[in-house]
Amino acid sequence: MTYTSFLVSEFLLLWRRKQDVINALLFFVIVVTLFPLGVSSSAEFLAPAAGGIIWCAAVLAIMMAVEGMFKEDFRDGSLEQWVVSGLSLPILVLLKVVAQWLVVIVPLLAMMPILSEMLYLSDASFWVLIMTFLLGTPSLFLIGVIGAALTVSLRQGAMLVMLLILPFYLPVIIFSTLAIQAADAGLPYSGQLALLLAMSLLSLILSPFMAAIAIKASAG
């Protein structure tokens, strides 16, 4: 097995299990659309809250996607094969995260124009929203993979994953929404974007190794 063949197999696996990804995407759309229906449909309410609404919905959808990231691999013995394959386990974890990120985030980005219009998000804030997604969501997946690896052997690990990773998601949500609000008010937002990038880079350095340690413990 090579890294390239592993990445291809991950995309094929996600295609076979596409219902999990579709469920997360549908959940995202439902949460966003319920706000205008259930709270208020006025532009005065939705426009200032649009960034926070979209980001909270995205975080919940991402948590749904990452919770079972290793479940199937644990059941069919693939995790043991990863450990003895001779390939770098942190790199395998990173490749799995990349595949999951692309499959989930690309459709979310494709839906953004429609949802942003529905929430009366301004054009300036829309592009900042896209930038916060590109800079902030990698850290959400990288943090989430640690929780998924720690709870992979548990039958009902979904709630535990949420409890473990949600506190680490809060800074991403806060700085993302602050950047969108700053753009809407015509204020500088580069500082918030830089912090999002820093969090993603820090997660990129630490997360694969921490998740690999948890996988070795579970596979052993």
Side-chain angles (χ1 to χ4, degrees):
M1 181 173 64
T2 64
Y3 295 118
T4 303
S5 63
F6 175 82
L7 184 59
V8 171
S9 67
E10 283 301 313
F11 280 114
L12 293 175
L13 179 64
L14 287 169
W15 174 253
R16 290 197 298 269
R17 297 170 52 196
K18 57 183 177 293
Q19 190 60 47
D20 294 339
V21 176
I22 292 173
N23 288 341
L25 297 175
L26 286 175
F27 182 80
F28 170 77
V29 173
I30 290 170
V31 171
V32 173
T33 53
L34 280 179
F35 270 88
L37 296 175
V39 183
S40 173
S41 59
S42 66
E44 291 77 13
F45 168 76
L46 291 175
I53 293 170
I54 292 175
W55 258 100
C56 289
V59 165
L60 293 173
I62 290 170
M63 291 176 72
M64 287 182 62
V66 301
E67 181 272 326
M69 191 178 290
F70 297 114
K71 292 291 187 184
E72 194 65 31
D73 298 311
F74 179 76
R75 294 191 192 100
D76 63 17
S78 296
L79 289 185
E80 288 86 349
Q81 296 300 317
W82 292 13
V83 175
V84 301
S85 66
L87 300 177
S88 171
L89 192 54
I91 293 179
L92 295 180
V93 171
L94 182 59
L95 291 175
K96 190 173 184 71
V97 171
V98 168
Q100 191 87 16
W101 184 85
L102 287 172
V103 169
V104 174
I105 296 302
V106 170
L108 286 184
L109 291 175
M111 290 185 285
M112 284 300 172
I114 298 173
L115 297 176
S116 298
E117 284 292 328
M118 185 177 66
L119 297 177
Y120 302 100
L121 192 68
S122 65
D123 291 340
S125 299
F126 170 77
W127 291 112
V128 177
L129 171 66
I130 297 299
M131 286 190 284
T132 60
F133 258 70
L134 293 174
L135 295 176
T137 53
S139 64
L140 299 184
F141 279 86
L142 289 164
I143 294 168
V145 78
I146 300 174
L150 287 171
T151 60
V152 66
S153 59
L154 303 179
R155 289 182 176 273
Q156 302 294 332
M159 185 57 65
L160 184 56
V161 170
M162 293 181 183
L163 293 175
L164 285 173
I165 66 177
L166 187 56
F168 299 99
Y169 279 11
L170 294 179
V172 179
I173 300 172
I174 291 170
F175 288 118
S176 296
T177 53
L178 286 176
I180 297 167
Q181 290 170 0
D184 194 47
L187 300 174
Y189 51 82
S190 57
Q192 292 91 329
L193 296 181
L195 286 170
L196 291 175
L197 177 60
M199 285 186 282
S200 288
L201 291 176
L202 182 62
S203 301
L204 179 63
I205 295 170
L206 298 177
S207 172
F209 295 97
M210 297 176 68
I213 293 171
I215 288 171
K216 282 184 179 179
S218 300

